[in-house]
Amino acid sequence: MIVGQIPLREFSMLISNQGLRVVIGPFNVCIITTYQPLIVQLHKLYKNYELAQDEIAEFHVRIVATRPIRKPLSVYVRFLLDGQSPFADFPEEQALAVLEWGINLAIAIRVNNLMLLHSAVLERNGHVLLFPAWPGSGKTTLSTVLCHRGFRLFSDEFGLMDPQAGVFFPIPRLMPLKNESINVVKNYLPEAIFGQEIPNTQKGTVAHVRPPEESMRRAQESAKAKWIIFPKWIANSKLDLLSLPDSEAFMLLASNSFNYEILGETGFQAVTSLIKTCICYKLVYSEFDDVLAAIQTLTDDI
């Protein structure tokens, strides 16, 4: 059963009381909130999320409304992970962004049985493409375009890899576009389902895109990586897809990991194996049509 099969009234009662248990990649997440504007947004944007059958959840998260003593007329929201708040309260209109950031944080700090790469991950023709990059490189924008044009979304944020088996697990979630990229993608992808624009966040204006239905439906299908592409969007640039030496690719990939140092030798061996079995590139682009054509050609050549 998926969220979209639950009427809004029933959904509201569920998430307000015992909590909404959804499958997010290899994890079950329990979400509780009584904040109605967030409930309405989640009912729309989580439409294709599968309900967890197991009552056990790896993460229990909650969004609660608060009124600061110094601003008693203002409503803020607080993210709680297992009853504890890892960061400050935020204005109420940022509730969805706070929830998504909080879940990301929970995964980043608590999951160490898997290799966690800071990377967008997509699949085509049975093989995974990794797009490791730090914030500001355009990986979420690129992921949004690719997953609406024939690629299957694993994640715009996390590369979840079993370090022994070498497979990546999908964890498709809402994709948070920022600032100018929001209207650019809306114009390029009129079929994409957007949430409300959220202004004045720490990252500017944010709008979340719902993952395509097929990516959610196939969210239990893992795959091995074949390509590692380090992307960079530069305005008005010509497309440039250059082969990358293994030594440079290793350093870049290791530095784009949340838990490489924590895993120690296991992390080293995992990154080494990826570099040996993947073809590595640097990518500079500005136009979606150009980058789509280049990556489609690359992934057809198998």
Side-chain angles (χ1 to χ4, degrees):
M1 187 175 186
I2 61 173
V3 168
Q5 295 173 317
I6 308 174
L8 178 57
R9 181 180 177 85
E10 183 180 336
F11 177 82
S12 180
M13 294 178 62
L14 177 66
I15 198 171
S16 299
N17 294 290
Q18 64 264 44
L20 173 73
R21 282 178 166 80
V22 288
V23 179
I24 298 182
F27 314 116
N28 290 341
V29 179
C30 179
I31 303 169
I32 298 178
T33 186
T34 59
Y35 185 60
Q36 195 62 33
L38 176 60
I39 292 173
V40 173
Q41 291 181 76
L42 290 178
H43 188 255
K44 171 187 175 182
L45 295 176
Y46 275 34
K47 175 184 176 181
N48 297 315
Y49 274 71
E50 181 184 352
L51 298 181
Q53 300 303 309
D54 193 337
E55 292 187 0
I56 297 175
E58 283 83 1
F59 305 104
H60 291 80
V61 302
R62 186 187 296 259
I63 292 287
V64 298
T66 66
R67 291 186 183 273
I69 295 177
R70 295 183 180 181
K71 296 181 179 180
L73 300 181
S74 300
V75 177
Y76 280 63
V77 291
R78 179 176 301 162
F79 173 83
L80 299 174
L81 173 63
D82 295 335
Q84 301 295 316
S85 179
F87 35 65
D89 298 350
F90 291 82
E92 61 175 327
E93 63 271 15
Q94 298 182 24
L96 177 62
V98 173
L99 174 65
E100 294 296 294
W101 291 335
I103 293 174
N104 277 353
L105 177 65
I107 294 170
I109 64 176
R110 291 197 173 181
V111 177
N112 285 314
N113 62 314
L114 301 173
M115 184 82 185
L116 265 64
L117 299 173
H118 190 219
S119 174
V121 185
L122 294 106
E123 177 267 332
R124 188 166 186 261
N125 292 329
H127 300 280
V128 158
L129 301 95
L130 299 179
F131 294 93
W134 291 111
S137 300
K139 69 181 186 304
T140 296
T141 304
L142 182 58
S143 299
T144 305
V145 171
L146 291 176
C147 74
H148 284 85
R149 291 293 183 267
F151 293 74
R152 178 161 64 102
L153 178 70
F154 274 44
S155 175
D156 77 298
E157 179 72 12
F158 288 114
L160 296 181
M161 176 188 173
D162 181 325
Q164 278 74 42
V167 298
F168 282 83
F169 299 106
I171 183 169
R173 298 183 55 225
L174 306 186
M175 294 167 283
L177 296 177
K178 296 178 282 294
N179 303 313
E180 293 82 3
S181 64
I182 297 171
N183 284 331
V184 171
V185 173
K186 280 184 176 180
N187 291 331
Y188 193 79
L189 300 173
E191 73 275 25
I193 306 299
F194 277 78
Q196 300 172 5
E197 292 190 17
I198 306 170
N200 304 317
T201 76
Q202 294 176 340
K203 299 183 179 182
T205 299
V206 175
H208 295 81
V209 180
R210 191 172 78 193
E213 183 177 352
E214 183 183 6
S215 293
M216 298 301 298
R217 181 175 56 82
R218 299 176 60 193
Q220 301 305 312
E221 297 180 24
S222 59
K224 289 191 174 184
K226 185 174 179 62
W227 305 275
I228 302 173
I229 303 172
F230 297 89
K232 181 66 176 178
W233 181 87
I234 299 177
N236 302 316
S237 64
K238 292 183 179 181
L239 185 133
D240 204 359
L241 186 63
L242 297 175
S243 295
L244 196 63
D246 286 354
S247 57
E248 185 176 353
F250 181 96
M251 295 303 296
L252 288 171
L253 190 61
S255 66
N256 278 283
S257 170
F258 292 97
N259 60 353
Y260 175 79
E261 293 183 355
I262 293 173
L263 292 178
E265 183 178 351
T266 298
F268 174 81
Q269 295 296 339
V271 173
T272 299
S273 177
L274 272 175
I275 297 301
K276 286 182 178 179
T277 57
C278 292
I279 309 168
C280 303
Y281 299 91
K282 268 189 176 180
L283 169 68
V284 175
Y285 75 99
S286 63
E287 298 296 329
F288 293 146
D289 287 345
D290 293 342
V291 74
L292 267 171
I295 297 177
Q296 285 170 343
T297 299
L298 179 69
T299 52
D300 280 339
D301 186 20
I302 58 174

